Amino acid sequence: MRAFFLWLGVSAVVWGGAAFGLDRYFEARPATVLVVVDTAFAMEGEWAAVGPLLDRIDNASYSQFALMGPRGPIHGPEAELSLGATQAYGARDLSAVSGFGAGTDRRILVTNAPDSELPDLPGWEVLRP
């Protein structure tokens, strides 16, 4: 019985140390996530759903999020996504989006545009509010 408790104690220390080490490793090297929110006037009807969608996205652990609209940055790398005072306005133009986010680990586009209006976006996740 003594051998079992010795094994149990050593195992707990080894696994606990490994978990602590991995946590520190990933915390020091967060994944970079670029989220582009379509700010076109056509999004106005679904704008209320964008905030909760961003909250679900920023629940990911060990990540830093940058938020952009098709016309430019909303905020730089932060632990949480926030639209601030951004509102849906103007015409939809997603043509420049494909050039955004080089060097990020994950790229997400939030839009209600039909697939026929989307440019070719290899490596992007398209989420609908």
Side-chain angles (χ1 to χ4, degrees):
M1 196 64 152
R2 182 175 169 200
F4 170 72
F5 286 116
L6 180 62
W7 171 83
L8 185 63
V10 170
S11 295
V13 168
V14 168
W15 285 107
F20 179 78
L22 282 173
D23 181 58
R24 295 292 143 231
Y25 176 83
F26 287 123
E27 203 164 282
R29 295 161 186 81
T32 54
V33 180
L34 173 66
V35 180
V36 177
V37 176
D38 182 3
T39 55
F41 187 72
M43 286 283 289
E44 186 178 44
E46 299 183 45
W47 200 249
V50 172
L53 177 61
L54 294 179
D55 287 339
R56 285 196 307 274
I57 293 170
D58 71 21
N59 284 339
S61 300
Y62 310 115
S63 299
Q64 288 284 319
F65 303 93
L67 184 62
M68 293 184 73
R71 294 165 185 85
I74 296 172
H75 70 69
E78 295 179 7
E80 294 188 12
L81 292 164
S82 172
L83 280 173
T86 305
Q87 293 293 318
Y89 68 92
R92 176 176 282 140
D93 181 15
L94 299 174
S95 60
V97 170
S98 62
F100 295 163
T104 59
D105 298 313
R106 187 174 170 205
R107 295 178 289 179
I108 301 170
L109 172 63
V110 177
T111 184
N112 65 351
D115 290 336
S116 61
E117 290 185 25
L118 294 177
D120 186 29
L121 298 170
W124 284 77
E125 298 173 49
V126 178
L127 301 179
R128 313 283 184 195

